[in-house]
Structure formats: C-alpha cells, structure tokens
Amino acid sequence: MTVTASLILAIVQVILRYGPTALRNTIAAINAVLQEENPTPEQIRALHIDKDPEEYFME
Amino acid sequence: MNRMAITRGLAVSVVVLFALAACFGQSFVKDNYKALAVSKSTYDMALSAIADLYFQGVVDEEVKAQTIELARIWKDAHNDAVEALAQYEETGETSSQEQYLLAFEVAAKALDNLLDYVNPIITQYGMEAIE
C-alpha cells in the first residue's frame, strides 16, 4: 500500500471514528507544530542559568 | 558497564545526536533551543536531588563540593551555548553556529560527568536516576 493510500485510509478511519471536527482539530494541531517559529534571541537568553550551584545548598 | 551507565550514555548520545542532526536541518535554532531547555531542567533536577540529600544529612561536605564543582563547569558551558545560539539567531553568522556547537559539546561532556557522579549517589537513597 502506498503512503498516500495509507494516509487516505487513516483520514477516513479518523472521520468515521471521531467525526470531522476531530480531524480538523488534529490537522490544525499538526499545522501549528510544523509552522512553529524559531524562538527569539530573548527567548533563547531566558535559558541562561543564573542560579549558582552553591545556592542550592543554602537554607 | 552497568545498566544505569548504559542508559545514561544513551541519553547523552541522544542529546548530542539531536544537536548534530539539527545542524543539517532547517530548524537548527528551534531544535537546539529545545535541547538547551532540557539541559537547564536537568541541571536543576540534579542539584535539587543532591541538595535534598545534603539537608537530610545523608551526604557530606565532600559530595556537596564535588557536585558544585562539576555543576559549575556545566553551567558555564551551557551559558556559553545559550549566548552563542542567541547570537546565531540574531546574526545568522556561521562563526556563532560553530561557537554554539563547541560549547554544546563541552556542556554535553560536563553533563555526562555530573550525572556519572550524581546518579549512583541518588539511586543509593531510592531516588530515580536522572537521564
């Protein structure tokens, strides 16, 4: 079975089982993930570790 | 080599492969941003676990000092990688990308060293190994 046939079969199964709204929501979620934009430099710099290891041992 | 060491080795390899694979894709920044987010979270988990044991009185000053020393090496390398990735996102310069990869490699080795030290201690006291 080709990939396209498998995909069509999977879509039909999803519609039959969960309805067209579930399919629309699934496709929207996949699109959102695929179109997710790169983080900004500010978002990247937020991953900077400020807490020194010694601070974990202070009460 | 015991099972925990193999698991940890695989986990570190996955993180490194994730970063290397990202180099060849179009989502270099996005994928490495996620890798650094995992790195930051692991740093917090490892130090919190040893600190808990320290406050319970089950690990001594020597363990504390060694953990702090290893964690500082990791923290510095992680922060260098964060800055290099942010600069790469800003400028798109290849030198920033190369700088990021070097820093990430150092951070991955430092992570390996710290988990090598921390995991046998925390699992001895019933905690889950950090991967």
Side-chain angles (χ1 to χ4, degrees), chain A residues 33-59, chain B residues 29-30 33 36-37 40 43-44 47-48 50-51 54-55 64 68 71-72 75 78-79 82-83 85-86 89-90:
Chain A
V33 170
L34 290 176
Q35 290 172 2
E36 191 184 339
E37 290 180 3
N38 274 352
T40 63
E42 290 72 29
Q43 287 173 317
I44 297 170
R45 288 194 173 99
L47 295 178
H48 195 276
I49 297 174
D50 297 317
K51 194 171 177 179
D52 187 80
E54 190 137 27
E55 292 178 51
Y56 285 85
F57 297 90
M58 292 174 183
E59 288 190 276
Chain B
V29 173
K30 198 166 37 177
Y33 172 78
L36 288 172
K40 183 177 181 179
Y43 172 88
D44 189 56
L47 282 163
S48 298
I50 291 292
Y54 177 76
F55 289 125
K64 172 187 160 183
I68 288 172
R72 278 200 182 124
K75 173 179 174 276
H78 170 95
N79 287 344
V82 166
E83 186 52 36
L85 189 65
E89 176 60 12
E90 277 173 344

Side-chain angles (χ1 to χ4, degrees), chain A residues 44, chain B residues 12 14-25 27-33 35-36 76-89 93-110:
Chain A
I44 297 170
Chain B
V12 171
V14 166
V15 171
V16 172
L17 285 174
F18 190 68
L20 290 176
C23 300
F24 302 103
S27 55
F28 178 86
V29 173
K30 198 166 37 177
D31 291 345
N32 283 289
Y33 172 78
L36 288 172
D76 291 345
H78 170 95
N79 287 344
D80 287 348
V82 166
E83 186 52 36
L85 189 65
Q87 280 181 15
Y88 177 66
E89 176 60 12
E93 287 174 359
T94 313
S95 59
S96 298
Q97 190 181 30
E98 288 167 357
Q99 201 179 344
Y100 167 77
L101 290 172
L102 285 174
F104 190 88
E105 194 182 334
V106 174
K109 280 180 189 163

Side-chain angles (χ1 to χ4, degrees), chain A:
Chain A
M1 190 183 291
T2 65
V3 174
T4 308
S6 301
L7 186 61
I8 290 169
L9 185 61
I11 290 170
V12 170
Q13 284 175 334
V14 167
I15 292 172
L16 289 176
R17 185 159 185 180
Y18 301 106
T21 307
L23 180 67
R24 269 198 301 275
N25 291 342
T26 306
I27 292 171
I30 292 168
N31 273 340
V33 170
L34 290 176
Q35 290 172 2
E36 191 184 339
E37 290 180 3
N38 274 352
T40 63
E42 290 72 29
Q43 287 173 317
I44 297 170
R45 288 194 173 99
L47 295 178
H48 195 276
I49 297 174
D50 297 317
K51 194 171 177 179
D52 187 80
E54 190 137 27
E55 292 178 51
Y56 285 85
F57 297 90
M58 292 174 183
E59 288 190 276

